[in-house]
Amino acid sequence: MEHKLTVEALKDGTVIDHIPAGQGRRIAKLLRLSESGQRVYMGFNLPSQRSGKKDLIKVENILLSAEDANQLALYAPDATVNVIENFEVVAKHKLGVPESIAGVLVCPNSNCISHVEPVTSHFSVRSRHGEIRLKCKYCEKAYAKEVFTGLS
Amino acid sequence: MANPLYQKHIISISDLSREELELVVHTAAELKRHPRNDLLKDRVVASCFFEASTRTRLSFETAVQRLGGSVIGFADAGNTSLAKKGETLADSVRIITSYVDAYVMRHPRDGAARLAAECSTKPVINAGDGANQHPTQTLLDLFTLHETQGRLDGLKVAFVGDLKYGRTVHSLVQALSLFGCRFYFIAPPALALPDYLYEELDERHIEYSDHEDIEEVVPELDILYMTRVQKERFEETEFHQVKSRFVLTADTLAHARPNLRVLHPLPRVDEIEIGVDQTPYAYYFQQAENGVYARQALLALVLNETL
């Protein structure tokens, strides 16, 4: 007998699929889903034909905008973002590079003022020769996305 | 029409346009020729130095007083509520800026000035934030370049010494690239200009070249900008080798053009021999004096709708 874990279908909300396994938690944090007060379903290490394993997030009653979806591009460039209204997919966002990321990442510069003052971190995002660089609004230093280890 | 810097925060040199940089340079020249003691009349400027910086602080405070304004503030943070009571910088800035017309700040943390600007309803002038920015040094450098060469466009400028860590060099290179200058970089490999700056110059199609020796480029130059190579960046023996190659002597300048001027953000240690002081090329002490005029110009523009 086949065992299947099912999650009820969304009436209104967003499904983020094809997240690289291991990145789901980071993305939920990036989008501040747990603070949203809405019901969030997360699947880790689900089977994926495309990549072997994937993470998946479903969130009720939050319809992600294209700019919201773009925030994922740094960590899950191949994710699909389907916005659902009344059980119908009403938008499929193609991911692009976001203009900025606020309040999620921790500046890698240990001397940056953002570490010691009650401020929201803020990075402008620039893509150059296919490499994404994030520049801190405060210390003005730019870093490759791989350098970011901490989430605020 | 209000001048474009009126009530503006001055945080990073990259926030200023070519026109705004020229406005400061020309205003500084005007104030040097024709001093004004009324431009900050009845104005109070806070001078808050969370780390010591003798020259910058004294030249700012002189600038305020020469323009007829008055100064409040402190020269080190040790005795403030931040250090003694754990107040945040954000709260300190909110309170102090409610007392004054403009807020000048030096702080050891990168980005402190941007944060201060977010908390202030009055113009914030960055007098240095950690290793990040020191825009008024760049403004006084630009003023000095213009004063000695009569122009900023198309100058041939060499930078010598520590080009990796020197924020003075980084900011001046960025500002001068708006004026199509040609650069010569002379530094030990360990202290070469950061890659991001080379990339910016490439993007702007600015001509530059790297060199190991000062003498070979001297005959081409309008400006020779010296910086200090710090001992702690090297092993002892390596330091002595490096140091001897990046020291300027009067002999090195034998084939200089008559208009060449040697600049240095100071303090110097031994990278410019005393003998250079007596040559007509030495201009670093006048450059330091120009700090007062450049800061006067900035304060006057920030606090007066029209001059």
Side-chain angles (χ1 to χ4, degrees):
Chain A
M1 189 178 129
E2 190 184 349
H3 292 281
K4 203 167 183 185
L5 182 66
T6 55
V7 176
E8 59 191 282
L10 280 182
K11 178 172 182 290
D12 296 299
T14 304
V15 179
I16 307 168
D17 200 356
H18 300 292
I19 300 167
Q23 296 291 344
R25 190 187 300 272
R26 185 186 280 263
I27 281 164
K29 180 117 188 179
L30 196 69
L31 297 172
R32 298 194 197 95
L33 296 180
S34 65
E35 292 100 305
S36 69
Q38 298 297 335
R39 207 178 287 183
V40 180
Y41 304 99
M42 298 185 60
F44 295 142
N45 301 317
L46 304 180
S48 161
Q49 285 190 338
R50 215 190 284 179
S51 54
K53 282 182 182 174
K54 66 177 183 181
D55 290 354
L56 178 142
I57 300 173
K58 288 185 177 189
V59 55
E60 272 186 358
N61 296 326
I62 293 180
L63 309 182
L64 289 187
S65 68
E67 181 60 19
D68 290 335
N70 286 345
Q71 304 268 315
L72 308 177
L74 294 183
Y75 297 104
D78 298 321
T80 58
V81 178
N82 292 337
V83 180
I84 294 171
E85 277 186 81
N86 205 20
F87 300 106
E88 297 283 331
V89 176
V90 294
K92 280 177 181 276
H93 293 309
K94 193 168 181 291
L95 302 188
V97 177
E99 286 178 11
S100 63
I101 295 182
V104 180
L105 302 173
V106 174
C107 184
N109 172 9
S110 61
N111 196 44
C112 180
I113 192 77
S114 62
H115 291 288
V116 291
E117 288 284 318
V119 292
T120 304
S121 74
H122 189 284
F123 296 86
S124 56
V125 182
R126 204 166 71 115
S127 177
R128 201 173 169 280
H129 306 315
E131 278 183 40
I132 291 174
R133 311 273 286 176
L134 294 99
K135 184 175 180 182
C136 174
K137 176 174 77 165
Y138 293 101
C139 73
E140 303 184 29
K141 299 225 169 4
Y143 296 94
K145 70 177 196 292
E146 292 76 19
V147 177
F148 289 82
T149 51
L151 294 172
S152 64
Chain B
M1 200 177 78
N3 86 73
L5 295 177
Y6 180 57
Q7 292 295 317
K8 191 168 170 173
H9 300 300
I10 309 295
I11 306 303
S12 172
I13 204 70
S14 55
D15 297 342
L16 298 174
S17 67
R18 178 188 157 116
E19 291 68 29
E20 288 166 340
L21 295 173
E22 287 175 323
L23 178 63
V24 176
V25 166
H26 293 139
T27 306
E30 186 60 25
L31 289 171
K32 190 170 183 178
R33 270 196 305 272
H34 304 293
R36 296 271 303 266
N37 61 5
D38 57 336
L39 290 173
L40 292 190
K41 188 170 177 292
D42 301 326
R43 306 298 182 96
V44 180
V45 175
S47 163
C48 298
F49 279 64
F50 293 89
E51 78 177 355
S53 173
T54 314
R55 233 181 336 274
T56 304
R57 183 173 64 83
L58 293 181
S59 73
F60 257 117
E61 295 182 3
T62 305
V64 173
Q65 297 194 27
R66 292 258 184 234
L67 294 172
S70 46
V71 178
I72 62 161
F74 46 86
D76 75 84
N79 232 2
T80 64
S81 293
L82 279 100
K84 298 270 182 198
K85 301 174 187 171
E87 187 179 39
T88 63
L89 177 65
D91 282 0
S92 294
V93 171
R94 277 187 196 101
I95 306 306
I96 296 169
T97 54
S98 73
Y99 300 156
V100 296
D101 298 293
Y103 178 77
V104 174
M105 184 181 79
R106 159 74 62 111
H107 197 280
R109 287 266 180 185
D110 304 344
R114 185 76 64 194
L115 176 124
E118 289 178 347
C119 304
S120 172
T121 54
K122 310 289 172 51
V124 171
I125 297 179
N126 183 6
D129 60 328
N132 183 31
Q133 284 276 330
H134 189 9
T136 60
Q137 175 70 44
T138 310
L139 293 171
L140 80 88
D141 288 342
L142 290 174
F143 170 43
T144 306
L145 263 65
H146 190 270
E147 181 179 64
T148 59
Q149 308 297 326
R151 63 191 165 100
L152 291 173
D153 280 293
L155 293 175
K156 294 185 169 183
V157 184
F159 292 92
V160 181
D162 181 353
L163 311 188
K164 183 175 182 181
Y165 298 99
R167 64 180 176 189
T168 307
V169 171
H170 304 166
S171 299
L172 187 55
V173 165
Q174 285 173 316
L176 286 177
S177 68
L178 298 176
F179 295 89
C181 291
R182 198 264 191 238
F183 299 121
Y184 304 79
F185 299 118
I186 306 163
L191 296 179
L193 199 72
D195 287 344
Y196 81 91
L197 278 171
Y198 280 117
E199 287 170 10
E200 281 185 28
L201 295 178
D202 289 339
E203 277 173 16
R204 290 178 177 178
H205 307 292
I206 302 293
E207 199 184 340
Y208 64 83
S209 50
D210 297 302
H211 303 268
E212 300 248 317
D213 187 69
I214 303 174
E215 212 162 350
E216 70 181 53
V217 299
V218 159
E220 297 177 42
L221 301 178
D222 300 309
I223 293 291
L224 180 56
Y225 198 102
M226 299 292 298
T227 63
R228 186 158 48 98
V229 173
Q230 292 181 40
K231 198 175 173 179
E232 57 269 29
R233 311 255 185 242
F234 292 93
E235 299 278 313
E236 186 74 26
T237 48
E238 197 187 2
F239 174 68
H240 286 292
Q241 282 175 356
V242 165
K243 196 182 73 171
S244 61
R245 283 182 30 229
F246 298 94
V247 169
L248 186 66
T249 66
D251 291 345
T252 318
L253 298 170
H255 300 291
R257 288 152 58 158
N259 67 310
L260 174 91
R261 291 295 176 270
V262 178
L263 304 185
H264 190 302
L266 305 182
R268 71 166 160 180
V269 181
D270 45 16
E271 60 277 10
I272 301 179
E273 284 195 347
I274 302 292
V276 179
D277 297 0
Q278 310 307 322
T279 70
Y281 308 114
Y283 209 76
Y284 24 91
F285 298 122
Q286 293 93 324
Q287 177 191 7
E289 179 193 334
N290 279 344
V292 175
Y293 303 112
R295 291 177 177 116
Q296 278 186 44
L298 194 58
L299 287 160
L301 289 163
V302 163
L303 288 175
N304 291 278
E305 202 166 347
T306 55
L307 293 187

